[in-house]
Amino acid sequence: MPLPEGFEIESQPQRQQAQPSGGIPAGFEVEQMPAQARQQEEEPGLMDVQKQLTGSMVEPILTLGSAAVGEVAGGLAGLYELAATRDPDAAEALRQRVSGALAYEPKTAGGQIASQVLTAPSAAPAAAMEKATELSGEAGYRAGGPEVGAVASTFPTIASMVYGGVQGRAMRPRTDPGRQEVGGLPAIRDADAPIDATPTAQGVGVTPPARPSAADLSPQKQEIARNIEQGSTDASVAPYRLDRWQGVAGDPVAKKAINQGFDESVISAVKAATPEDRQKMMRMLAIRQRGHKNARYAMDNRASDVAGDSLMRRVRHVKRTNEGAGKRLDSVAKTLKGQQVNYNGPIGDFLSSLRDMGVTMDDRLRPAFKGSDIEGVEGAERVVKRIIARMRDTKTPDAYDLHRLKRYIDEQVTYGKSADGLGGKTERVLKKLRRDLDSTLDSQFEEYNRVNTQYSDTVNAIDALQDAAGTKVNLYGENADKAIGTVLRRLMSNTQSRVNLIDAIDELETVGRKYGGRFTDDLKAQMLFADELDKRFGPTARTSLAGEVEKGTKRAAELATGQRTVTGAAAEAAAEALAKARGVNDDAAFRSMRELLKQQL
Protein backbone atom coordinates (compact mmCIF):
# COMPACT_ATOMS: atom_id res chain seq x y z
CA MET A 1 0.00 0.00 0.00
CA PRO A 2 1.78 3.22 -1.15
CA LEU A 3 2.27 6.01 1.34
CA PRO A 4 0.43 9.28 0.70
CA GLU A 5 2.39 12.20 -0.68
CA GLY A 6 4.03 14.16 2.12
CA PHE A 7 3.09 11.66 4.83
CA GLU A 8 0.52 14.10 6.24
CA ILE A 9 -1.51 12.44 9.01
CA GLU A 10 -3.40 15.45 10.37
CA SER A 11 -5.21 17.99 8.26
CA GLN A 12 -3.90 21.52 8.77
CA PRO A 13 -6.03 24.67 8.90
CA GLN A 14 -6.20 26.74 5.75
CA ARG A 15 -3.58 29.46 5.84
CA GLN A 16 -3.24 32.79 4.14
CA GLN A 17 -1.41 32.55 0.79
CA ALA A 18 1.97 34.25 1.18
CA GLN A 19 3.26 36.57 -1.51
CA PRO A 20 6.76 35.79 -2.79
CA SER A 21 9.03 38.00 -0.71
CA GLY A 22 11.92 37.69 1.70
CA GLY A 23 13.23 34.58 -0.03
CA ILE A 24 10.05 32.49 0.49
CA PRO A 25 9.02 30.83 -2.81
CA ALA A 26 5.57 31.57 -4.19
CA GLY A 27 2.96 28.92 -3.47
CA PHE A 28 4.01 28.16 0.09
CA GLU A 29 1.36 28.63 2.76
CA VAL A 30 2.56 30.45 5.84
CA GLU A 31 1.08 31.15 9.22
CA GLN A 32 -0.38 34.62 9.63
CA MET A 33 1.85 36.84 11.76
CA PRO A 34 1.41 40.30 13.24
CA ALA A 35 2.53 43.20 11.05
CA GLN A 36 5.57 43.91 13.20
CA ALA A 37 6.67 40.27 13.05
CA ARG A 38 6.21 40.21 9.25
CA GLN A 39 8.34 43.34 8.90
CA GLN A 40 11.08 41.77 10.98
CA GLU A 41 10.80 38.63 8.90
CA GLU A 42 11.18 40.56 5.66
CA GLU A 43 14.10 42.61 7.03
CA PRO A 44 16.18 40.31 9.25
CA GLY A 45 18.97 42.00 11.12
CA LEU A 46 22.66 41.24 11.09
CA MET A 47 22.47 39.26 14.33
CA ASP A 48 19.86 36.90 12.86
CA VAL A 49 22.05 36.20 9.82
CA GLN A 50 25.03 35.53 12.06
CA LYS A 51 22.87 33.24 14.20
CA GLN A 52 21.80 31.14 11.20
CA LEU A 53 25.31 30.96 9.72
CA THR A 54 26.84 30.03 13.05
CA GLY A 55 24.19 27.38 13.58
CA SER A 56 24.80 25.87 10.15
CA MET A 57 28.49 25.44 10.95
CA VAL A 58 28.50 24.55 14.65
CA GLU A 59 25.31 22.55 15.28
CA PRO A 60 26.07 19.70 12.81
CA ILE A 61 29.35 19.17 14.67
CA LEU A 62 27.52 19.06 18.01
CA THR A 63 24.95 16.68 16.54
CA LEU A 64 27.69 14.40 15.16
CA GLY A 65 29.62 14.33 18.41
CA SER A 66 26.59 13.73 20.63
CA ALA A 67 25.38 10.94 18.36
CA ALA A 68 28.75 9.21 18.56
CA VAL A 69 28.71 9.41 22.35
CA GLY A 70 25.10 8.28 22.40
CA GLU A 71 25.78 5.27 20.21
CA VAL A 72 28.68 4.14 22.42
CA ALA A 73 26.66 4.66 25.62
CA GLY A 74 23.65 2.99 24.09
CA GLY A 75 25.71 0.00 23.01
CA LEU A 76 27.15 -0.43 26.50
CA ALA A 77 23.73 -0.14 28.14
CA GLY A 78 22.20 -2.56 25.64
CA LEU A 79 24.87 -5.20 26.17
CA TYR A 80 24.52 -4.86 29.93
CA GLU A 81 20.77 -5.36 29.60
CA LEU A 82 21.31 -8.38 27.33
CA ALA A 83 23.66 -9.95 29.85
CA ALA A 84 21.25 -9.32 32.71
CA THR A 85 17.97 -10.35 31.09
CA ARG A 86 18.93 -12.49 28.05
CA ASP A 87 16.21 -10.56 26.25
CA PRO A 88 17.44 -9.10 22.91
CA ASP A 89 14.30 -6.99 22.47
CA ALA A 90 14.71 -5.36 25.87
CA ALA A 91 18.40 -4.76 25.18
CA GLU A 92 17.68 -3.09 21.84
CA ALA A 93 14.93 -0.93 23.38
CA LEU A 94 17.33 0.26 26.10
CA ARG A 95 20.07 0.96 23.52
CA GLN A 96 17.70 3.14 21.50
CA ARG A 97 16.47 5.03 24.56
CA VAL A 98 19.97 5.81 25.83
CA SER A 99 21.34 6.87 22.45
CA GLY A 100 18.23 8.96 21.73
CA ALA A 101 18.37 10.71 25.10
CA LEU A 102 21.98 11.84 24.54
CA ALA A 103 21.47 13.11 20.98
CA TYR A 104 21.73 16.86 20.38
CA GLU A 105 19.06 18.37 18.14
CA PRO A 106 19.80 21.51 16.07
CA LYS A 107 17.93 24.57 17.34
CA THR A 108 18.43 27.06 14.49
CA ALA A 109 17.07 26.85 10.97
CA GLY A 110 20.64 26.98 9.59
CA GLY A 111 21.70 24.06 11.74
CA GLN A 112 18.64 22.01 10.82
CA ILE A 113 19.08 22.64 7.10
CA ALA A 114 22.77 21.71 7.21
CA SER A 115 21.91 18.53 9.12
CA GLN A 116 19.23 17.59 6.60
CA VAL A 117 21.62 18.06 3.65
CA LEU A 118 24.27 15.92 5.35
CA THR A 119 21.68 13.24 6.10
CA ALA A 120 20.68 12.43 2.53
CA PRO A 121 23.78 10.62 1.15
CA SER A 122 24.45 8.59 4.29
CA ALA A 123 21.25 6.62 4.86
CA ALA A 124 22.57 3.38 3.34
CA PRO A 125 25.95 3.44 5.16
CA ALA A 126 24.14 4.25 8.42
CA ALA A 127 21.90 1.19 8.06
CA ALA A 128 24.95 -0.96 7.33
CA MET A 129 26.80 0.40 10.36
CA GLU A 130 23.81 -0.19 12.61
CA LYS A 131 23.70 -3.83 11.54
CA ALA A 132 27.48 -4.07 12.01
CA THR A 133 27.15 -2.71 15.55
CA GLU A 134 24.57 -5.38 16.37
CA LEU A 135 26.60 -8.24 14.88
CA SER A 136 29.88 -7.07 16.42
CA GLY A 137 28.34 -6.79 19.87
CA GLU A 138 26.72 -10.22 19.70
CA ALA A 139 29.98 -11.80 18.49
CA GLY A 140 31.91 -10.19 21.32
CA TYR A 141 29.32 -11.33 23.84
CA ARG A 142 29.58 -14.95 22.66
CA ALA A 143 33.36 -14.80 22.74
CA GLY A 144 33.96 -13.23 26.12
CA GLY A 145 30.77 -12.26 27.88
CA PRO A 146 29.12 -8.86 28.38
CA GLU A 147 32.34 -6.90 28.92
CA VAL A 148 33.92 -8.05 25.66
CA GLY A 149 30.59 -7.65 23.88
CA ALA A 150 30.20 -4.08 25.08
CA VAL A 151 33.66 -3.12 23.84
CA ALA A 152 33.17 -4.92 20.53
CA SER A 153 29.88 -3.16 19.90
CA THR A 154 31.66 0.22 19.88
CA PHE A 155 34.06 -0.67 17.04
CA PRO A 156 31.61 -0.05 14.16
CA THR A 157 30.52 3.22 15.76
CA ILE A 158 34.09 4.49 15.91
CA ALA A 159 34.68 3.36 12.34
CA SER A 160 31.48 5.02 11.18
CA MET A 161 32.78 8.35 12.52
CA VAL A 162 35.76 8.03 10.19
CA TYR A 163 33.76 7.05 7.12
CA GLY A 164 30.79 9.34 7.79
CA GLY A 165 28.18 6.61 8.15
CA VAL A 166 27.20 7.80 11.57
CA GLN A 167 25.69 10.89 9.95
CA GLY A 168 22.69 8.83 8.86
CA ARG A 169 21.69 8.32 12.46
CA ALA A 170 23.29 11.40 13.98
CA MET A 171 21.71 13.95 11.69
CA ARG A 172 18.16 12.78 11.22
CA PRO A 173 15.99 15.91 11.08
CA ARG A 174 14.13 15.78 14.36
CA THR A 175 12.01 18.82 13.56
CA ASP A 176 9.65 18.89 10.61
CA PRO A 177 9.94 22.41 9.13
CA GLY A 178 6.53 21.90 7.54
CA ARG A 179 4.76 21.57 10.87
CA GLN A 180 6.18 24.25 13.18
CA GLU A 181 8.30 27.37 13.34
CA VAL A 182 12.07 26.88 13.37
CA GLY A 183 14.75 29.50 13.86
CA GLY A 184 12.21 32.33 13.88
CA LEU A 185 11.00 31.57 10.34
CA PRO A 186 7.31 31.13 9.42
CA ALA A 187 6.08 27.55 9.34
CA ILE A 188 5.73 26.00 5.86
CA ARG A 189 2.28 24.46 5.58
CA ASP A 190 1.85 23.28 2.00
CA ALA A 191 3.00 19.66 2.10
CA ASP A 192 1.99 19.02 -1.50
CA ALA A 193 3.71 22.01 -3.15
CA PRO A 194 6.93 21.18 -5.04
CA ILE A 195 9.90 21.99 -2.83
CA ASP A 196 12.62 23.81 -4.79
CA ALA A 197 14.41 25.40 -1.89
CA THR A 198 14.28 25.72 1.86
CA PRO A 199 13.95 29.38 3.01
CA THR A 200 16.56 30.68 5.39
CA ALA A 201 17.52 34.12 6.71
CA GLN A 202 17.93 36.84 4.07
CA GLY A 203 16.33 34.56 1.46
CA VAL A 204 19.37 32.27 1.18
CA GLY A 205 18.21 28.76 0.19
CA VAL A 206 19.66 25.29 -0.35
CA THR A 207 18.13 22.37 -2.21
CA PRO A 208 16.82 19.81 0.29
CA PRO A 209 16.82 16.04 -0.20
CA ALA A 210 13.98 14.64 -2.30
CA ARG A 211 11.00 13.23 -0.41
CA PRO A 212 11.16 9.43 -0.23
CA SER A 213 8.53 7.29 -1.86
CA ALA A 214 7.19 4.07 -0.42
CA ALA A 215 9.68 2.15 -2.56
CA ASP A 216 12.55 3.97 -0.83
CA LEU A 217 11.55 2.58 2.55
CA SER A 218 12.27 -0.87 3.90
CA PRO A 219 9.27 -3.21 4.22
CA GLN A 220 9.43 -2.78 8.00
CA LYS A 221 9.26 1.02 7.76
CA GLN A 222 6.50 0.82 5.18
CA GLU A 223 4.49 -1.21 7.67
CA ILE A 224 5.28 1.26 10.47
CA ALA A 225 4.19 4.17 8.27
CA ARG A 226 0.89 2.50 7.40
CA ASN A 227 0.21 1.71 11.06
CA ILE A 228 0.94 5.28 12.18
CA GLU A 229 -1.29 6.72 9.46
CA GLN A 230 -4.13 4.39 10.49
CA GLY A 231 -3.87 5.45 14.16
CA SER A 232 -2.45 2.16 15.43
CA THR A 233 -1.96 1.81 19.18
CA ASP A 234 0.53 -1.03 18.80
CA ALA A 235 3.73 -0.70 20.84
CA SER A 236 5.90 -1.09 17.74
CA VAL A 237 4.97 2.37 16.38
CA ALA A 238 5.53 4.30 19.62
CA PRO A 239 9.14 5.45 18.95
CA TYR A 240 8.40 6.64 15.40
CA ARG A 241 6.67 9.45 13.53
CA LEU A 242 5.95 10.27 9.90
CA ASP A 243 8.42 12.73 8.44
CA ARG A 244 8.33 14.52 5.08
CA TRP A 245 12.10 14.20 4.65
CA GLN A 246 12.71 10.59 5.69
CA GLY A 247 9.28 9.01 5.51
CA VAL A 248 9.63 7.33 8.91
CA ALA A 249 11.80 8.98 11.56
CA GLY A 250 12.43 8.56 15.24
CA ASP A 251 10.16 10.44 17.63
CA PRO A 252 12.50 11.94 20.25
CA VAL A 253 9.65 13.18 22.45
CA ALA A 254 8.05 9.72 22.59
CA LYS A 255 11.45 8.13 23.23
CA LYS A 256 11.97 10.39 26.24
CA ALA A 257 8.68 9.22 27.73
CA ILE A 258 9.56 5.58 27.04
CA ASN A 259 12.95 6.10 28.64
CA GLN A 260 11.16 7.41 31.76
CA GLY A 261 9.33 4.11 32.16
CA PHE A 262 6.03 4.61 30.36
CA ASP A 263 4.68 1.61 28.48
CA GLU A 264 5.23 1.84 24.72
CA SER A 265 1.69 0.68 23.91
CA VAL A 266 0.32 3.46 26.13
CA ILE A 267 2.56 5.96 24.34
CA SER A 268 1.06 4.78 21.03
CA ALA A 269 -2.44 5.17 22.45
CA VAL A 270 -1.65 8.73 23.55
CA LYS A 271 -0.33 9.63 20.10
CA ALA A 272 -3.42 8.17 18.43
CA ALA A 273 -5.90 9.76 20.86
CA THR A 274 -8.35 12.48 19.85
CA PRO A 275 -7.63 16.11 20.82
CA GLU A 276 -10.39 15.94 23.44
CA ASP A 277 -8.90 12.81 25.00
CA ARG A 278 -5.44 14.37 25.09
CA GLN A 279 -6.85 17.44 26.85
CA LYS A 280 -8.38 15.15 29.47
CA MET A 281 -5.13 13.20 29.77
CA MET A 282 -3.39 16.51 30.45
CA ARG A 283 -5.86 17.15 33.28
CA MET A 284 -5.19 13.66 34.65
CA LEU A 285 -1.46 14.25 34.56
CA ALA A 286 -1.83 17.58 36.39
CA ILE A 287 -4.02 15.99 39.08
CA ARG A 288 -1.60 13.12 39.51
CA GLN A 289 1.47 15.37 39.66
CA ARG A 290 -0.07 17.61 42.32
CA GLY A 291 -1.28 14.61 44.32
CA HIS A 292 2.15 12.97 44.00
CA LYS A 293 3.53 15.43 46.54
CA ASN A 294 0.31 16.38 48.34
CA ALA A 295 -1.30 13.43 50.08
CA ARG A 296 -4.22 15.51 51.32
CA TYR A 297 -5.06 16.65 47.79
CA ALA A 298 -4.74 13.06 46.53
CA MET A 299 -7.39 11.90 49.01
CA ASP A 300 -10.05 13.95 47.21
CA ASN A 301 -8.74 13.97 43.66
CA ARG A 302 -7.79 11.07 41.41
CA ALA A 303 -6.89 10.90 37.73
CA SER A 304 -9.73 8.41 37.26
CA ASP A 305 -12.19 11.14 38.31
CA VAL A 306 -11.70 12.72 34.88
CA ALA A 307 -12.82 9.52 33.17
CA GLY A 308 -15.69 9.27 35.65
CA ASP A 309 -16.83 12.74 34.61
CA SER A 310 -16.71 11.68 30.94
CA LEU A 311 -19.00 8.74 31.68
CA MET A 312 -21.34 10.94 33.72
CA ARG A 313 -21.79 13.21 30.70
CA ARG A 314 -23.24 10.21 28.91
CA VAL A 315 -25.37 9.24 31.90
CA ARG A 316 -26.82 12.74 32.22
CA HIS A 317 -27.64 12.92 28.51
CA VAL A 318 -29.38 9.55 28.54
CA LYS A 319 -31.22 10.45 31.76
CA ARG A 320 -32.52 13.73 30.27
CA THR A 321 -33.65 11.85 27.18
CA ASN A 322 -35.41 9.29 29.34
CA GLU A 323 -37.24 11.93 31.36
CA GLY A 324 -38.42 13.70 28.22
CA ALA A 325 -39.56 10.42 26.67
CA GLY A 326 -41.40 9.51 29.87
CA LYS A 327 -43.41 12.74 29.80
CA ARG A 328 -44.31 12.28 26.13
CA LEU A 329 -45.24 8.66 26.79
CA ASP A 330 -47.68 9.63 29.52
CA SER A 331 -49.33 12.09 27.14
CA VAL A 332 -49.65 9.48 24.40
CA ALA A 333 -50.91 6.89 26.90
CA LYS A 334 -53.83 9.12 27.90
CA THR A 335 -55.14 8.85 24.35
CA LEU A 336 -55.48 5.09 24.94
CA LYS A 337 -58.30 5.46 27.49
CA GLY A 338 -61.33 3.43 26.50
CA GLN A 339 -59.47 1.50 23.79
CA GLN A 340 -59.73 -2.24 24.23
CA VAL A 341 -56.69 -4.47 24.03
CA ASN A 342 -56.13 -8.24 24.27
CA TYR A 343 -54.24 -8.82 27.50
CA ASN A 344 -54.90 -12.56 27.96
CA GLY A 345 -51.45 -13.60 26.72
CA PRO A 346 -49.30 -11.59 29.17
CA ILE A 347 -51.54 -12.25 32.20
CA GLY A 348 -51.84 -15.96 31.43
CA ASP A 349 -48.06 -16.36 31.10
CA PHE A 350 -47.55 -14.54 34.41
CA LEU A 351 -49.92 -16.82 36.32
CA SER A 352 -48.31 -19.86 34.68
CA SER A 353 -44.87 -18.72 35.84
CA LEU A 354 -46.15 -18.36 39.40
CA ARG A 355 -47.54 -21.89 39.29
CA ASP A 356 -44.13 -23.14 38.16
CA MET A 357 -42.71 -21.55 41.31
CA GLY A 358 -45.32 -23.37 43.42
CA VAL A 359 -47.53 -20.33 44.03
CA THR A 360 -51.23 -21.27 43.81
CA MET A 361 -54.40 -19.16 43.56
CA ASP A 362 -57.68 -19.67 45.33
CA ASP A 363 -61.11 -18.91 43.82
CA ARG A 364 -60.80 -15.22 44.73
CA LEU A 365 -57.37 -14.88 43.06
CA ARG A 366 -55.49 -14.72 46.32
CA PRO A 367 -51.95 -16.22 46.18
CA ALA A 368 -50.88 -19.01 48.54
CA PHE A 369 -47.14 -19.48 49.07
CA LYS A 370 -47.17 -22.68 51.16
CA GLY A 371 -44.63 -25.07 49.65
CA SER A 372 -43.59 -22.55 46.95
CA ASP A 373 -40.05 -21.50 46.00
CA ILE A 374 -40.54 -18.18 47.79
CA GLU A 375 -42.29 -19.42 50.91
CA GLY A 376 -41.10 -17.32 53.84
CA VAL A 377 -39.28 -14.83 51.57
CA GLU A 378 -41.26 -11.91 52.87
CA GLY A 379 -40.10 -9.32 50.35
CA ALA A 380 -40.95 -11.52 47.34
CA GLU A 381 -44.30 -12.52 48.83
CA ARG A 382 -45.28 -8.89 49.47
CA VAL A 383 -44.48 -7.75 45.91
CA VAL A 384 -46.39 -10.65 44.32
CA LYS A 385 -49.40 -9.93 46.53
CA ARG A 386 -49.36 -6.27 45.45
CA ILE A 387 -49.26 -7.09 41.75
CA ILE A 388 -52.04 -9.70 42.03
CA ALA A 389 -54.21 -7.30 44.05
CA ARG A 390 -53.74 -4.56 41.43
CA MET A 391 -54.84 -6.92 38.65
CA ARG A 392 -57.76 -8.31 40.67
CA ASP A 393 -59.13 -4.92 41.68
CA THR A 394 -59.05 -3.43 38.19
CA LYS A 395 -62.23 -3.95 36.25
CA THR A 396 -61.98 -4.95 32.61
CA PRO A 397 -58.79 -3.06 31.76
CA ASP A 398 -58.35 -0.89 28.68
CA ALA A 399 -55.04 -0.02 26.99
CA TYR A 400 -54.42 2.85 29.40
CA ASP A 401 -54.87 0.51 32.40
CA LEU A 402 -52.21 -1.83 30.97
CA HIS A 403 -49.82 1.13 30.58
CA ARG A 404 -50.35 2.09 34.22
CA LEU A 405 -49.89 -1.55 35.33
CA LYS A 406 -46.57 -1.59 33.48
CA ARG A 407 -45.45 1.57 35.31
CA TYR A 408 -46.64 0.08 38.63
CA ILE A 409 -44.46 -2.97 38.04
CA ASP A 410 -41.47 -0.68 37.42
CA GLU A 411 -42.01 0.98 40.79
CA GLN A 412 -42.47 -2.32 42.61
CA VAL A 413 -39.31 -3.84 41.16
CA THR A 414 -37.24 -0.72 41.91
CA TYR A 415 -38.71 -0.29 45.39
CA GLY A 416 -38.68 -4.01 46.09
CA LYS A 417 -34.98 -4.38 45.31
CA SER A 418 -33.99 -1.64 47.75
CA ALA A 419 -36.60 -2.10 50.51
CA ASP A 420 -37.72 -5.70 50.32
CA GLY A 421 -34.63 -7.44 49.02
CA LEU A 422 -36.45 -8.54 45.87
CA GLY A 423 -34.36 -10.69 43.56
CA GLY A 424 -33.98 -14.07 41.90
CA LYS A 425 -36.93 -15.76 40.21
CA THR A 426 -39.55 -13.31 41.44
CA GLU A 427 -37.80 -10.31 39.90
CA ARG A 428 -37.36 -12.14 36.58
CA VAL A 429 -41.02 -13.16 36.45
CA LEU A 430 -42.19 -9.58 37.13
CA LYS A 431 -39.85 -8.14 34.50
CA LYS A 432 -41.15 -10.64 31.95
CA LEU A 433 -44.73 -9.58 32.71
CA ARG A 434 -43.72 -5.97 32.12
CA ARG A 435 -42.05 -6.79 28.80
CA ASP A 436 -45.08 -8.76 27.63
CA LEU A 437 -47.46 -5.88 28.48
CA ASP A 438 -45.12 -3.50 26.70
CA SER A 439 -45.02 -5.65 23.56
CA THR A 440 -48.82 -5.92 23.51
CA LEU A 441 -49.25 -2.14 23.56
CA ASP A 442 -46.46 -1.55 21.04
CA SER A 443 -47.93 -3.99 18.55
CA GLN A 444 -51.37 -2.37 18.56
CA PHE A 445 -50.59 1.38 18.86
CA GLU A 446 -47.98 2.87 16.50
CA GLU A 447 -47.43 6.25 18.18
CA TYR A 448 -47.18 4.61 21.58
CA ASN A 449 -44.57 2.24 20.16
CA ARG A 450 -42.45 5.10 18.77
CA VAL A 451 -42.24 7.06 22.02
CA ASN A 452 -42.09 3.97 24.18
CA THR A 453 -39.07 2.63 22.28
CA GLN A 454 -37.09 5.74 23.20
CA TYR A 455 -38.19 5.49 26.81
CA SER A 456 -37.36 1.77 27.02
CA ASP A 457 -33.94 2.14 25.36
CA THR A 458 -32.84 4.86 27.76
CA VAL A 459 -34.18 3.31 30.94
CA ASN A 460 -32.60 -0.05 30.07
CA ALA A 461 -29.22 1.58 29.43
CA ILE A 462 -29.27 3.37 32.79
CA ASP A 463 -30.43 0.23 34.59
CA ALA A 464 -27.63 -1.81 33.01
CA LEU A 465 -24.99 0.64 34.23
CA GLN A 466 -26.53 0.77 37.69
CA ASP A 467 -26.50 -3.03 37.90
CA ALA A 468 -22.86 -3.15 36.79
CA ALA A 469 -21.82 -0.39 39.22
CA GLY A 470 -23.78 -1.79 42.15
CA THR A 471 -26.67 -0.44 44.18
CA LYS A 472 -24.33 1.46 46.54
CA VAL A 473 -23.22 3.79 43.73
CA ASN A 474 -25.53 6.79 43.38
CA LEU A 475 -25.42 7.76 39.70
CA TYR A 476 -26.92 11.15 40.48
CA GLY A 477 -25.08 12.03 43.69
CA GLU A 478 -22.83 15.04 44.22
CA ASN A 479 -19.66 12.97 43.87
CA ALA A 480 -20.95 10.65 41.16
CA ASP A 481 -17.93 11.31 38.94
CA LYS A 482 -15.56 10.12 41.67
CA ALA A 483 -17.67 7.05 42.42
CA ILE A 484 -17.95 6.17 38.74
CA GLY A 485 -14.23 6.82 38.25
CA THR A 486 -13.50 4.22 40.91
CA VAL A 487 -15.93 1.79 39.27
CA LEU A 488 -14.24 2.30 35.90
CA ARG A 489 -10.99 0.94 37.32
CA ARG A 490 -12.58 -2.48 36.92
CA LEU A 491 -12.00 -2.12 33.18
CA MET A 492 -8.29 -2.71 33.82
CA SER A 493 -8.79 -5.59 36.26
CA ASN A 494 -9.66 -9.26 36.07
CA THR A 495 -12.80 -8.98 38.18
CA GLN A 496 -15.83 -10.94 37.01
CA SER A 497 -17.93 -7.78 36.76
CA ARG A 498 -15.54 -6.33 34.18
CA VAL A 499 -17.45 -7.80 31.21
CA ASN A 500 -20.79 -6.56 32.53
CA LEU A 501 -19.31 -3.08 32.97
CA ILE A 502 -17.92 -3.05 29.41
CA ASP A 503 -21.31 -4.13 28.03
CA ALA A 504 -23.13 -1.49 30.08
CA ILE A 505 -20.80 1.30 28.92
CA ASP A 506 -21.12 0.21 25.29
CA GLU A 507 -24.92 0.17 25.57
CA LEU A 508 -24.95 3.61 27.23
CA GLU A 509 -22.77 5.09 24.47
CA THR A 510 -24.84 3.47 21.73
CA VAL A 511 -28.13 4.72 23.16
CA GLY A 512 -26.69 8.16 23.87
CA ARG A 513 -25.53 8.58 20.26
CA LYS A 514 -28.81 7.17 18.94
CA TYR A 515 -30.68 9.97 20.66
CA GLY A 516 -28.46 12.93 19.80
CA GLY A 517 -25.46 12.58 22.09
CA ARG A 518 -22.17 13.79 20.65
CA PHE A 519 -19.25 12.12 22.37
CA THR A 520 -15.86 12.52 20.72
CA ASP A 521 -13.77 11.17 23.59
CA ASP A 522 -12.82 7.59 24.39
CA LEU A 523 -13.52 6.34 27.92
CA LYS A 524 -11.28 3.31 27.53
CA ALA A 525 -8.32 5.41 26.36
CA GLN A 526 -8.78 7.69 29.38
CA MET A 527 -8.89 4.77 31.79
CA LEU A 528 -5.83 3.21 30.16
CA PHE A 529 -3.95 6.47 30.76
CA ALA A 530 -5.14 6.71 34.37
CA ASP A 531 -4.03 3.12 34.98
CA GLU A 532 -0.63 3.84 33.41
CA LEU A 533 -0.12 6.76 35.79
CA ASP A 534 -0.75 4.42 38.71
CA LYS A 535 1.62 1.88 37.19
CA ARG A 536 4.42 4.40 36.66
CA PHE A 537 4.08 6.44 39.87
CA GLY A 538 2.48 3.89 42.18
CA PRO A 539 -1.15 3.56 43.34
CA THR A 540 -2.71 6.84 44.44
CA ALA A 541 -4.70 5.11 47.18
CA ARG A 542 -2.39 4.61 50.14
CA THR A 543 -4.29 1.51 51.26
CA SER A 544 -5.08 0.13 47.79
CA LEU A 545 -4.84 -3.59 47.13
CA ALA A 546 -1.85 -3.08 44.81
CA GLY A 547 0.00 -0.98 47.34
CA GLU A 548 -0.72 -3.34 50.22
CA VAL A 549 0.31 -6.41 48.21
CA GLU A 550 3.61 -4.76 47.30
CA LYS A 551 4.33 -3.82 50.92
CA GLY A 552 3.18 -7.23 52.15
CA THR A 553 5.39 -9.11 49.73
CA LYS A 554 8.49 -7.22 50.81
CA ARG A 555 7.62 -7.67 54.48
CA ALA A 556 6.98 -11.40 54.05
CA ALA A 557 10.39 -11.85 52.44
CA GLU A 558 12.09 -10.02 55.29
CA LEU A 559 10.28 -12.09 57.93
CA ALA A 560 11.05 -15.35 56.14
CA THR A 561 14.79 -14.65 55.94
CA GLY A 562 15.25 -12.48 59.00
CA GLN A 563 16.78 -9.76 56.86
CA ARG A 564 16.66 -8.21 53.46
CA THR A 565 18.26 -10.58 50.99
CA VAL A 566 21.67 -9.48 49.75
CA THR A 567 20.72 -10.34 46.19
CA GLY A 568 17.49 -8.37 46.38
CA ALA A 569 19.16 -5.36 47.98
CA ALA A 570 21.97 -5.40 45.42
CA ALA A 571 19.56 -5.68 42.54
CA GLU A 572 17.48 -2.83 43.90
CA ALA A 573 20.55 -0.66 44.38
CA ALA A 574 21.81 -1.46 40.91
CA ALA A 575 18.42 -0.62 39.40
CA GLU A 576 18.34 2.70 41.26
CA ALA A 577 21.88 3.53 40.15
CA LEU A 578 21.09 2.71 36.52
CA ALA A 579 17.91 4.78 36.64
CA LYS A 580 19.83 7.72 38.12
CA ALA A 581 22.51 7.43 35.45
CA ARG A 582 19.86 7.46 32.75
CA GLY A 583 18.12 10.46 34.29
CA VAL A 584 15.03 8.45 35.18
CA ASN A 585 13.01 10.02 37.99
CA ASP A 586 9.44 11.04 38.70
CA ASP A 587 9.89 14.73 37.90
CA ALA A 588 11.47 13.93 34.55
CA ALA A 589 8.69 11.41 33.86
CA PHE A 590 6.00 14.04 34.45
CA ARG A 591 7.86 16.46 32.15
CA SER A 592 8.29 13.90 29.37
CA MET A 593 4.60 12.95 29.36
CA ARG A 594 3.51 16.59 29.43
CA GLU A 595 5.80 17.30 26.48
CA LEU A 596 4.31 14.36 24.57
CA LEU A 597 0.75 15.50 25.23
CA LYS A 598 1.57 19.09 24.23
CA GLN A 599 3.17 17.86 21.02
CA GLN A 600 -0.01 16.01 20.09
CA LEU A 601 -2.38 18.93 20.86
Side-chain angles (χ1 to χ4, degrees), residues 318-329 451 454-455:
V318 172
K319 181 63 175 176
R320 286 194 299 267
T321 304
N322 172 258
E323 291 172 348
K327 293 178 181 178
R328 292 193 300 275
L329 186 61
V451 180
Q454 185 175 5
Y455 179 83

Side-chain angles (χ1 to χ4, degrees), residues 317-333 403-404 406-411 414 434 438 442 447-463 507 511 514-515:
H317 172 76
V318 172
K319 181 63 175 176
R320 286 194 299 267
T321 304
N322 172 258
E323 291 172 348
K327 293 178 181 178
R328 292 193 300 275
L329 186 61
D330 285 339
S331 298
V332 173
H403 167 76
R404 293 191 61 201
K406 187 183 70 171
R407 299 292 293 271
Y408 183 74
I409 294 172
D410 286 339
E411 292 297 322
T414 301
R434 188 219 185 270
D438 191 62
D442 285 348
E447 180 62 15
Y448 183 91
N449 177 46
R450 186 185 66 80
V451 180
N452 185 53
T453 298
Q454 185 175 5
Y455 179 83
S456 297
D457 286 347
T458 51
V459 76
N460 289 339
I462 294 173
D463 286 348
E507 182 179 358
V511 171
K514 180 179 179 181
Y515 296 111

Side-chain angles (χ1 to χ4, degrees), residues 356-405:
D356 292 340
M357 294 170 58
V359 179
T360 59
M361 302 287 175
D362 61 18
D363 294 340
R364 300 177 60 183
L365 286 180
R366 291 180 301 186
F369 300 100
K370 185 68 174 179
S372 70
D373 296 343
I374 57 175
E375 179 183 2
V377 182
E378 296 182 358
E381 289 185 358
R382 277 197 297 269
V383 172
V384 170
K385 287 180 179 178
R386 292 179 189 138
I387 298 296
I388 295 294
R390 177 66 175 258
M391 295 166 55
R392 183 181 62 237
D393 296 341
T394 302
K395 297 181 180 179
T396 304
D398 57 17
Y400 181 65
D401 290 328
L402 290 189
H403 167 76
R404 293 191 61 201
L405 177 59

